[in-house]
Amino acid sequence: QVQLVESGGGLVQAGNSLRLSCAASGRTFSNYAAGWFRQVPGKERDFVAAINLGGGVTYYADSVKGRFTISRDNAKNKVYLQMNSLKPEDTAVYYCAARRGSYYYILRSDYDNWGQGTQVTVSS
């Protein structure tokens, strides 16, 4: 298993940017695909973005395509989510996830390692 810790959340005005980080430990992170999900109270945890283990392939939810960018630095055991042009509807707890595998994965059930989440609040 790999342990994941998110950071970088906070309160930001609409139109501004935030970068979330996810630090991994415990296993060779370059063997793991990674993803970001988000959840608001009373709703399910939704897919945001995914990246394959090498970082060369990414996939995004339609709601964030063109505004968010997922990336990773395997030398630092980190995954990032750059969020630009933030909207109030992006407000949620954001979770980092990882699983062994060479592809990218977009379902919650695909992942077996999760961080504790970081709150992102976008004010209008």
Side-chain angles (χ1 to χ4, degrees):
Q1 296 296 312
V2 62
Q3 290 76 46
L4 304 171
V5 179
E6 302 96 334
S7 61
L11 173 64
V12 65
Q13 286 191 326
N16 285 349
S17 300
L18 275 178
R19 188 175 83 153
L20 305 183
S21 296
C22 173
S25 61
R27 288 286 186 261
T28 304
F29 190 55
S30 58
N31 292 333
Y32 287 74
W36 287 94
F37 290 72
R38 65 187 182 187
Q39 188 171 23
V40 298
K43 295 191 176 181
E44 295 196 347
R45 192 170 298 185
D46 292 332
F47 168 76
V48 175
I51 191 166
N52 73 331
L53 54 81
V57 181
T58 59
Y59 189 83
Y60 298 92
D62 286 344
S63 59
V64 307
K65 200 174 297 183
R67 300 188 298 123
F68 291 10
T69 302
I70 187 171
S71 62
R72 65 189 297 162
D73 185 339
N74 286 338
K76 296 182 177 179
N77 291 339
K78 287 192 173 182
V79 176
Y80 304 99
L81 186 68
Q82 177 67 43
M83 305 185 295
N84 297 332
S85 303
L86 282 160
K87 305 175 181 179
E89 51 263 44
D90 294 318
T91 295
V93 177
Y94 283 71
Y95 295 90
C96 177
R99 60 155 290 161
R100 292 181 68 89
S102 58
Y103 200 54
Y104 65 81
Y105 304 88
I106 66 173
L107 301 179
R108 282 178 302 162
S109 58
D110 288 332
Y111 292 90
D112 51 5
N113 298 277
W114 292 87
Q116 83 289 348
T118 184
Q119 176 71 47
V120 172
T121 303
V122 184
S123 63
S124 57

